[in-house]
Amino acid sequence: MRTILYLGPKRPMTSIPAISLSGMNAAQSATGAAAHNIANLSTPGFRREQVLQAAAPGGGVTSSPSLAAQQGNALEADMVGQLAAKHQFLANLAVFKTGDQMMGSLLDATG
């Protein structure tokens, strides 16, 4: 007798490289916005750029740039945001590399 495990309704599975690539792209957007904000600290009337990130249906991340509601700078937030985006990028890169290594091992085992 065979036991079948029900995992819920079928949904398309997004590939590991696509999910990690979306995370790397979102991190690059956040890094670019923070760098832009830091470069324009002394610009009169400057409104900061912000990047809003959200989980994408099926896996991954979407990012949406926007302008802050009020003028002014927030150097501390931009520096912390830049460091967080760096770590986000590196974590997604590690996932990408691991997925690539796993696929290589799978192809070696079946080849």
Side-chain angles (χ1 to χ4, degrees), residues 1 8 24 30 38 40-42 45 51-54 56 59 63 65 67 70 79 92 98 108-110:
M1 177 185 276
M24 287 188 279
I38 292 167
N40 287 288
L41 282 173
S42 60
V51 177
L52 304 173
Q53 297 178 3
S63 59
L67 291 177
Q70 297 178 342
M79 293 298 294
N92 280 286
T98 301
D108 288 345
T110 60

Side-chain angles (χ1 to χ4, degrees), residues 38-107:
I38 292 167
N40 287 288
L41 282 173
S42 60
T43 303
F46 177 70
R47 285 180 29 195
R48 297 175 59 246
E49 286 184 3
Q50 299 171 326
V51 177
L52 304 173
Q53 297 178 3
V61 178
T62 61
S63 59
S64 307
S66 65
L67 291 177
Q70 297 178 342
Q71 296 178 356
N73 59 48
L75 180 59
E76 301 84 7
D78 291 324
M79 293 298 294
V80 170
Q82 202 168 37
L83 288 172
K86 171 191 159 191
H87 292 295
Q88 178 186 359
F89 184 90
L90 292 174
N92 280 286
L93 180 59
V95 170
F96 187 88
K97 287 180 178 180
T98 301
D100 186 52
Q101 290 171 350
M102 287 172 52
M103 183 59 72
S105 297
L106 179 63
L107 291 174

Side-chain angles (χ1 to χ4, degrees), residues 3-21:
T3 303
I4 298 174
L5 178 64
Y6 179 69
L7 298 176
K10 290 184 181 180
R11 288 183 249 156
M13 184 175 150
T14 306
S15 71
I16 291 172
I19 292 171
S20 59
L21 185 60

